[in-house]
Amino acid sequence: MGCKDNNLMQPVRVKDDLYRTDFSETASKRGTIPCLLAVCVYLFGRQQFRKGFLFRSIEARHNADVGYQPLKQLWSYKMLALWPGLGMFTIASEMLLELLSYPALLAPAVFVVYFVISFLKRPFLPNIPIIGFRKGDFFPLLQARWRNTRDFKTALELAYAQAHPVLVPVVGEGDIVMLPAAEVKFVTDQPDSVLGFSERAFDIFQVDYTFMDPTIPRVPLHENLLRTRLTPQIGTLIPDLAEEAAWAFETHWGSVDRAEGWHEVCVFETMRHIVGGVANRAFVGLPFCRDPELVNNGMAFAIDIPLTSSIIKLVSRPLRPLLAPLITIPNRIHTWRFRKILVSEIDRRLRTYDKHQSDRQANKTPAECEPNDFLQWSIQQAKAAGDPYMWRSKTLADRILMVNFAAIHTTSFTSTEALLDLVSSKAEYMDEIRHEITSVLAAHGGHWNKRALSQMEKLDSAIRESARYSSIISIGLGRTVVAKDGLTTPSGVHLPRGTKVSVPAYCIMGDEAAYAAARTFMPFRFSEQRNSNSPVHGGGDHSQKTDHVRRARNALPTTNPDFLVFGYGRHACPGRFFAAAELKLVLAHALLKYDFEILPKKPEGSWVGVTRLPALKATIRVKRRKEV
């Protein structure tokens, strides 16, 4: 892909016309810098000796030992020249003994020692191109990190243009090895014992600090529920979700009764409330999904996590336990408020569950029928596991908050981008999608169900195309090398243990080689591909199966190496089928019930480090359609 400013950041060129991280070899990385620090410590010690305040106490200790050499002889330059290792060791040991008597000096000294040890323990940087370097930089990594953070989109495009592994240093994210698109499958094929998925996710979101109970993300029981309970229940939940979407739009965009005419709405601000309400209809059911306090605190927490984790990663590791509790005060406030709303309902459900288990006959009472939502499934799962900690009211509330974070944050961004893409394109596109929605609903007696939703192929295509074209995913398949001996990529680059790897997802999904006219929004790109080929000749089940596979391959929740919105491989988003159904319901209600004024140009989003955001303050003009 082309880069908007090729002169902004160029990898440093060295011998053999290759971009290499030559300065990261052993002598420079693990020798020069620690030696400079040691010299600084030595000079600091000499300064204190000249002042006499260290010298006197050391001399007193040495004089007390009759067999000890005179102090001045030990500290002579001659002795240091003859025995440099012994001299440095003696200096360090004597200074450490003295620092124990001066707490004001001990803290900075411990910090310096920790920094040196941490620096030495860092993995070697592989000998690959480094994005953001300029020849002659005095502090190459620091300067590259700053340039890449300021304009990560350009850095990403430069990395993608190399077509082989490169190093992309970024503030707060460390040194990321960006693998080429050809190695996407290689990443997903590696076992977790080689490339760790959880290790990278825990580091990105700093879960030990940003969650009040780190057990929730570290023991992800909710992921199993998303796969085994939520996904199979989507068909049952769709009528309730459709009802919630209709209520949410009337609340936030206006109803027929209000007769507001044309009026402005902030797309992201209203969509996150609508998405939050619809998602929580499946998570906690009525009436809690319509409680503005529960939805607001769930949304606030979804914003807290990426924000506070980014700040924490800017803090040195030894200081994080001290500063993180202050940085994450908003997380704690919103968690506490969310818990307060749900705890009483959770306690009631736990009592009812125990009653049903003790009296099987009670299960047959219609009035005591258990709710069909994520909270109830979580209670059943926790009780079946037999761990009392997992069915504590606070633990269950935190688990619901966790799925709120996972569901609301990205779905709100995606729905915002989809609306803005459609409203800034041709009006005929929206008319065509509306016609499809009304035709499908008419064929199903006006009822929303799973089959009807699956037949809205143009709507599905428009959302998938927007997710590709206006991807909020900048880098994907984040992993950390956890294998003891490291990992060698197909391109021959050895990645030592601890290396962070990713792929440039934003550029992959905008590549002309994978998508014709990739930088053009074509809402029916995937629906046309679904119907581009006639079924395989020969008849029978094989023909129908081939047609089904082709259609499923271009559906919104389907992942592949060229479409990484939901990830790819065994760690693909476990809730993507629910997210796809939710997005289609939300967009369908918006298009079916409202008219839109076409925008002359789509509002531009923004980049904050590695994060791509939609235009959060963008507004559109809408009017309720009276005929619906």
Side-chain angles (χ1 to χ4, degrees):
M1 290 180 61
C3 303
K4 68 179 183 181
D5 187 355
N6 289 329
N7 295 321
L8 178 62
M9 293 180 280
Q10 292 292 348
V12 63
R13 184 180 294 274
V14 294
K15 61 183 180 181
D16 299 327
D17 292 323
L18 297 175
Y19 303 124
R20 302 294 181 191
T21 58
D22 288 352
F23 63 89
S24 66
E25 297 300 326
T26 306
S28 58
K29 183 174 180 181
R30 299 196 178 186
T32 304
I33 295 179
C35 285
L36 289 175
L37 289 172
V39 170
C40 292
V41 173
Y42 167 68
L43 293 176
F44 171 77
R46 284 189 61 193
Q47 182 183 13
Q48 303 308 316
F49 275 106
R50 286 174 181 173
K51 292 180 180 178
F53 110 112
L54 286 177
F55 183 88
R56 288 190 296 272
S57 58
I58 295 176
E59 185 178 28
R61 281 201 301 272
H62 290 178
N63 289 340
D65 188 348
V66 176
Y68 205 87
Q69 281 187 312
L71 182 63
K72 291 183 180 180
Q73 180 183 0
L74 179 65
W75 281 87
S76 67
Y77 290 106
K78 182 178 180 180
M79 294 294 290
L80 289 177
L82 291 175
W83 300 294
L86 176 62
M88 289 301 297
F89 174 78
T90 306
I91 292 173
S93 60
E94 291 296 347
M95 288 186 63
L96 180 60
L97 289 173
E98 188 59 30
L99 285 170
L100 292 174
S101 304
Y102 294 88
L105 296 175
L106 181 60
V110 170
F111 179 79
V112 170
V113 171
Y114 178 89
F115 174 78
V116 173
I117 294 175
S118 299
F119 194 87
L120 294 175
K121 288 176 66 178
R122 290 173 61 189
F124 286 115
L125 296 176
N127 193 22
I128 56 177
I130 300 185
I131 301 300
F133 285 169
R134 292 176 181 169
K135 192 172 182 179
D137 282 348
F138 193 70
F139 298 104
L141 272 177
L142 291 177
Q143 290 173 264
R145 187 171 288 116
W146 172 246
R147 293 183 189 120
N148 293 339
T149 306
R150 287 180 58 198
D151 190 355
F152 187 72
K153 181 182 178 183
T154 298
L156 203 61
E157 291 173 343
L158 282 167
Y160 188 66
Q162 301 298 313
H164 53 73
V166 295
L167 192 72
V168 184
V170 185
V171 172
E173 301 297 330
D175 304 323
I176 304 172
V177 173
M178 204 68 65
L179 300 178
E183 296 182 3
V184 165
K185 195 171 187 304
F186 168 76
V187 173
T188 58
D189 285 346
Q190 302 308 306
D192 290 339
S193 58
V194 176
L195 284 180
F197 173 82
S198 298
E199 288 80 358
R200 182 70 183 279
F202 295 158
D203 178 69
I204 289 173
F205 295 115
Q206 293 291 300
V207 297
D208 290 330
Y209 303 115
T210 55
F211 287 83
M212 287 186 65
D213 184 359
T215 304
I216 302 301
R218 288 190 173 276
V219 185
L221 299 178
H222 56 277
E223 291 186 5
N224 184 54
L225 287 180
L226 291 172
R227 294 187 180 95
T228 62
R229 297 300 296 271
L230 181 60
T231 299
Q233 289 286 334
I234 289 175
T236 305
L237 293 171
I238 281 177
D240 290 340
L241 300 180
E243 178 186 72
E244 195 61 32
W247 180 88
F249 271 105
E250 290 194 356
T251 301
H252 298 286
W253 278 22
S255 62
V256 175
D257 296 337
R258 297 181 188 177
E260 294 180 66
W262 288 103
H263 59 283
E264 280 193 352
V265 295
C266 178
V267 182
F268 173 70
E269 187 63 26
T270 54
M271 290 307 294
R272 70 189 186 105
H273 281 86
I274 293 168
V275 167
V278 174
N280 276 291
R281 181 68 178 261
F283 297 157
V284 295
L286 286 170
F288 295 95
C289 63
R290 296 183 183 180
D291 184 336
E293 284 300 308
L294 181 136
V295 175
N296 287 336
N297 282 289
M299 291 187 300
F301 183 78
I303 296 173
D304 292 338
I305 295 295
L307 178 62
T308 56
S309 62
S310 298
I311 298 173
I312 290 171
K313 284 183 286 188
L314 298 177
V315 178
S316 179
R317 288 187 182 274
L319 297 179
R320 288 179 188 178
L322 298 176
L323 298 181
L326 298 177
I327 297 171
T328 58
I329 287 176
N331 308 45
R332 298 171 188 278
I333 291 174
H334 296 133
T335 300
W336 180 82
R337 290 175 178 172
F338 193 89
R339 286 175 176 176
K340 186 179 179 181
I341 295 168
L342 275 186
V343 160
S344 60
E345 171 66 8
I346 294 173
D347 288 337
R348 184 192 69 78
R349 291 197 188 190
L350 286 170
R351 290 192 300 268
T352 303
Y353 180 88
D354 291 338
K355 178 183 176 183
H356 286 182
Q357 295 304 306
S358 62
D359 183 5
R360 293 288 181 177
Q361 196 65 28
N363 286 325
K364 298 179 181 179
T365 306
E368 295 291 321
C369 182
E370 291 182 345
N372 186 38
D373 56 35
F374 199 91
L375 174 57
Q376 193 65 31
W377 305 332
S378 298
I379 291 173
Q380 295 167 357
Q381 180 192 52
K383 288 288 187 176
D387 185 352
Y389 183 83
M390 291 303 174
W391 71 66
R392 290 193 324 159
S393 299
K394 290 181 179 179
T395 303
L396 290 167
D398 286 355
R399 203 163 290 287
I400 299 299
L401 186 59
M402 176 73 185
V403 294
N404 264 261
F405 160 64
I408 295 177
H409 190 61
T410 53
T411 308
S412 298
F413 285 169
T414 304
S415 58
T416 297
E417 289 285 18
L419 266 178
L420 291 176
D421 280 328
L422 285 170
V423 174
S424 58
S425 59
K426 298 178 182 179
E428 304 89 82
Y429 291 154
M430 288 188 285
D431 292 337
E432 199 166 340
I433 296 173
R434 282 195 190 103
H435 177 71
E436 178 189 65
I437 296 170
T438 54
S439 299
V440 170
L441 285 178
H444 289 268
H447 300 297
W448 289 94
N449 55 57
K450 186 176 181 180
R451 186 169 179 78
L453 214 57
S454 67
Q455 291 175 352
M456 298 178 185
E457 296 183 355
K458 291 181 179 179
L459 173 65
D460 185 283
S461 175
I463 300 173
R464 182 177 172 94
E465 170 68 356
S466 175
R468 179 204 68 83
Y469 172 75
S470 302
S471 173
I472 61 171
I473 307 297
S474 61
I475 56 177
L477 307 183
R479 305 286 193 273
T480 298
V481 178
V482 295
K484 182 178 180 180
D485 298 326
L487 173 70
T488 301
T489 69
S491 50
V493 176
H494 181 73
L495 306 175
R497 185 178 185 178
T499 303
K500 299 176 182 179
V501 301
S502 292
V503 298
Y506 181 83
C507 296
I508 289 173
M509 292 188 288
D511 193 338
E512 296 283 344
Y515 300 98
R519 296 323 303 161
T520 301
F521 176 66
M522 300 170 59
F524 306 135
R525 180 191 301 271
F526 297 102
S527 59
E528 289 171 357
Q529 290 178 5
R530 281 187 174 194
N531 301 292
S532 60
N533 299 317
S534 58
V536 176
H537 293 290
D541 294 338
H542 179 71
S543 173
Q544 294 179 0
K545 183 178 179 181
T546 304
D547 183 60
H548 174 74
V549 170
R550 185 180 65 248
R551 289 176 176 274
R553 187 178 295 140
N554 291 288
L556 173 56
T558 303
T559 65
N560 60 54
D562 298 322
F563 187 80
L564 302 174
V565 171
F566 296 109
Y568 180 57
R570 66 182 176 281
H571 287 298
C573 173
R576 64 188 183 277
F577 296 99
F578 173 77
E582 181 185 15
L583 282 165
K584 291 173 74 171
L585 282 169
V586 168
L587 267 294
H589 276 80
L591 295 172
L592 197 60
K593 297 187 176 182
Y594 296 88
D595 285 321
F596 300 85
E597 281 191 2
I598 298 298
L599 297 176
K601 182 181 179 182
K602 181 185 176 182
E604 291 288 335
S606 59
W607 289 76
V608 181
V610 300
T611 305
R612 187 187 176 280
L613 300 172
L616 301 180
K617 301 297 183 182
T619 61
I620 57 176
R621 287 176 58 81
V622 301
K623 182 180 69 172
R624 177 67 187 236
R625 291 165 59 88
K626 294 182 180 181
E627 66 271 19
V628 177

